[in-house]
Amino acid sequence: MFYTKEVVVSKKFFSRYKTISDAILNEASGTKIIVEPGTYHESLVIDKDIELISKGLAGEVILTSQNETTLLIKAKNAKVRGLTIHQRGFVKENVHFFAVDIKSGASILEDCDIKSDNGHGIRIINKDTNPGIERCNIRDSFGVGLFISKDANPTVQGCKIYQNKQNGILVQSAGGTIEDCEIYQNTYDNVLVSLEGNPVIRRSKIYKGSKSGIWVKEKGLGKIEKCQIYENSYSNIVIGSEADLVISESEIYESRESGIWVKENGRGKVESCNIYRNTNGNISIVSGGNPLIRRSKMYEGEKEGILVSKKGLGTIEDCEIYQNKHSNIAITDEGNPLIKRSKIYKGETNGLIVSDKGRGTIENCEIYEMKYPSVVIKKQGNPMIRGCKVYDNESVGLWVKENGEGTIENCEIFKNRSENVKIESEGNPVIRRSKIYE
């Protein structure tokens, strides 16, 4: 937008415009409105392509309203820069206002400080609403920090979204691109995606949320690329309710629950990620969850590297799973994953344990240097282990017990310090075309 005219809003006595509203009302599109320091008690509607700019340091131009939305943007290409925008008022049931409400257009909001006492910080709604939000602080709101819905598709860059009393970001039935942001210390999930929402989040830090870092549900989609997701009170990432999230080249660590929890027929793809030092399983797959995990590392978990339970599924291929305090991989309660071409090693206990009617197919993997029995099958566990190498463990290589079953074929089991294969307590495996030596 080319701005052809410049006017000033000021509290000074001889100023032509003492309110921002008057300047917007009386000036045409293409006007640059410069606002001098002061507190402006106004509720603004921007419905023309003007530029609204703060003059002075951060926090010196304050736009505030009481029990109404502070800034409503309906223009095609307006710009707002450098304002503190504070929606004030008392919380009333089912009555919510916004600091900023963007309902159409591709306007730009940059270098602003935004909060709402009884609603969301920023709401962006409607198809063909694709604003840019740049270098803003969106914080301390009673509701959601940034709410994107009804097919809106904003670009959010370099923002900090924190300490909101609901979600940091909520995406419902909409898209959006979030890049180079920090999203942290929000009371609900730092990021919630639902109702087929489909955002892209890149190069961002999502941390220290009071619940999950990212929760995707109700057929939600999305892509998480080159992010750090850490130290959230619940799982760092939850994929549930038939959601399908793609996570790539990200660091996912030190949550108080699971690193990634896939449940309720959630799917998803995890590629080239490091997932480590999470309190529960680095990855937990339950209740029909069926992700693809590829070329990733799961290590130093406080419990399992990967837990597949309660009819969980999943495909794990070309991964490294190591140095977890419980089993590197545990398959229980009718879990049935496919694990291919992976290295499972240097665990504090077992490399692979299959129990309680767990199944699974483990193909062309290496399982080695475990402190306890490397592969344990028990309690009607019945996996297919094919083309694997089990070696150099400090205890038993393969231990089948307590009605464990399983088929082991075309494997090599060797150089284990105790028995290479141990079968007891009504264990009943099938072992064929395998080499058991040294």
Side-chain angles (χ1 to χ4, degrees):
M1 183 71 187
F2 181 71
Y3 295 95
T4 59
K5 184 179 179 181
E6 185 175 299
V7 300
V8 176
V9 177
S10 174
K11 297 291 186 179
K12 294 176 183 176
F13 182 76
F14 294 106
S15 175
R16 177 184 176 188
Y17 292 122
K18 292 184 173 61
T19 69
I20 304 170
S21 300
D22 282 347
I24 294 172
L25 180 65
N26 290 288
E27 298 296 335
S29 291
T31 301
K32 181 182 291 187
I33 301 172
I34 298 174
V35 186
E36 292 196 342
T39 298
Y40 296 84
H41 297 277
E42 304 182 56
S43 176
L44 302 182
V45 178
I46 297 179
D47 56 2
K48 58 186 73 171
D49 294 341
I50 55 99
E51 184 172 5
L52 185 63
I53 299 177
S54 165
K55 182 179 181 180
L57 300 175
E60 289 187 341
V61 175
I62 300 171
L63 175 65
T64 183
S65 67
Q66 185 84 12
N67 290 327
E68 56 187 338
T69 292
T70 306
L71 176 60
L72 171 62
I73 300 176
K74 299 191 290 184
K76 289 184 179 179
N77 290 289
K79 180 179 284 188
V80 178
R81 182 195 303 161
L83 276 66
T84 293
I85 304 170
H86 186 180
Q87 189 282 320
R88 297 180 183 273
F90 299 103
V91 175
K92 296 181 181 180
E93 188 174 358
N94 298 321
V95 178
H96 301 289
F97 302 105
F98 315 106
V100 180
D101 196 9
I102 305 176
K103 290 188 172 181
S104 62
S107 295
I108 303 294
L109 186 69
E110 58 186 19
D111 299 310
C112 291
D113 190 79
I114 298 159
K115 63 184 292 188
S116 174
D117 287 354
N118 68 359
H120 305 319
I122 301 177
R123 183 179 71 164
I124 303 171
I125 63 171
N126 299 327
K127 189 176 180 180
D128 300 322
T129 303
N130 53 350
I133 313 295
E134 301 176 8
R135 302 180 304 278
C136 292
N137 290 334
I138 307 166
R139 62 182 180 86
D140 296 305
S141 291
F142 176 77
V144 172
L146 174 61
F147 179 36
I148 307 168
S149 71
K150 296 183 180 178
D151 297 311
N153 191 27
T155 299
V156 183
Q157 294 179 311
C159 293
K160 292 184 178 181
I161 303 167
Y162 61 97
Q163 293 178 355
N164 298 286
K165 290 183 172 58
Q166 294 184 21
N167 305 106
I169 298 175
L170 172 57
V171 184
Q172 287 185 339
S173 306
T177 300
I178 295 100
E179 296 179 325
D180 304 302
C181 291
E182 291 188 49
I183 306 138
Y184 60 97
Q185 292 180 344
N186 297 286
T187 302
Y188 291 4
D189 308 303
N190 274 326
V191 178
L192 176 62
V193 181
S194 66
L195 301 175
E196 301 184 40
N198 190 14
V200 175
I201 304 177
R202 296 191 184 103
R203 300 182 303 275
S204 294
K205 295 181 179 181
I206 302 165
Y207 60 97
K208 293 185 178 179
S210 297
K211 292 192 176 178
S212 294
I214 301 172
W215 191 315
V216 186
K217 63 180 184 178
E218 296 166 345
K219 298 183 179 181
L221 304 167
K223 294 181 180 179
I224 311 298
E225 301 173 354
K226 298 182 178 179
C227 290
Q228 294 182 47
I229 304 115
Y230 60 96
E231 292 185 23
N232 294 285
S233 294
Y234 289 9
S235 296
N236 277 325
I237 298 176
V238 181
I239 305 171
S241 306
E242 301 183 47
D244 194 355
L245 180 68
V246 177
I247 309 162
S248 63
E249 299 181 77
S250 295
E251 304 279 323
I252 302 160
Y253 59 96
E254 294 180 359
S255 81
R256 295 182 187 172
E257 292 194 1
S258 297
I260 300 175
W261 184 20
V262 189
K263 62 175 187 170
E264 298 166 357
N265 300 311
R267 297 183 298 280
K269 185 184 294 182
V270 180
E271 292 188 302
S272 303
C273 291
N274 290 331
I275 307 156
Y276 57 95
R277 293 202 296 268
N278 296 285
T279 300
N280 285 341
N282 277 323
I283 294 180
S284 298
I285 306 170
V286 301
S287 307
N290 191 15
L292 170 62
I293 303 165
R294 180 185 292 155
R295 296 187 298 276
S296 294
K297 295 180 180 181
M298 284 68 72
Y299 59 94
E300 296 180 3
E302 294 296 315
K303 291 187 178 178
E304 295 85 6
I306 299 175
L307 171 64
V308 186
S309 183
K310 299 176 182 176
K311 298 184 179 181
L313 302 167
T315 299
I316 296 102
E317 58 186 30
D318 303 304
C319 289
E320 293 186 47
I321 307 104
Y322 61 96
Q323 291 182 338
N324 297 284
K325 290 186 178 179
H326 287 193
S327 302
N328 276 331
I329 299 177
I331 304 171
T332 70
D333 297 316
E334 300 183 61
N336 190 18
L338 170 61
I339 304 170
K340 301 191 293 185
R341 300 184 305 275
S342 293
K343 293 184 178 181
I344 304 160
Y345 63 97
K346 291 185 178 178
E348 296 294 317
T349 59
N350 310 111
L352 167 68
I353 185 167
V354 185
S355 69
D356 299 289
K357 298 183 180 180
R359 292 170 300 184
T361 300
I362 297 89
E363 294 182 342
N364 302 314
C365 293
E366 293 186 50
I367 308 171
Y368 60 95
E369 295 184 14
M370 308 303 304
K371 290 185 178 180
Y372 286 24
S374 185
V375 177
V376 177
I377 305 171
K378 64 179 184 176
K379 297 181 179 178
Q380 296 180 283
N382 191 11
M384 166 63 76
I385 302 175
R386 181 188 296 131
C388 293
K389 293 182 178 181
V390 182
Y391 62 95
D392 281 345
N393 297 287
E394 295 185 16
S395 183
V396 176
L398 168 66
W399 192 9
V400 186
K401 62 178 182 175
E402 299 170 7
N403 300 109
E405 298 178 357
T407 300
I408 293 87
E409 59 183 28
N410 299 315
C411 291
E412 291 187 55
I413 307 170
F414 60 98
K415 289 187 179 179
N416 297 287
R417 291 192 180 179
S418 189
E419 296 90 344
N420 277 324
V421 177
K422 184 176 182 178
I423 303 170
E424 64 177 6
S425 306
E426 301 185 52
N428 188 23
V430 174
I431 303 174
R432 58 187 170 215
R433 295 189 299 276
S434 295
K435 295 180 180 180
I436 302 167
Y437 60 96
E438 296 186 25

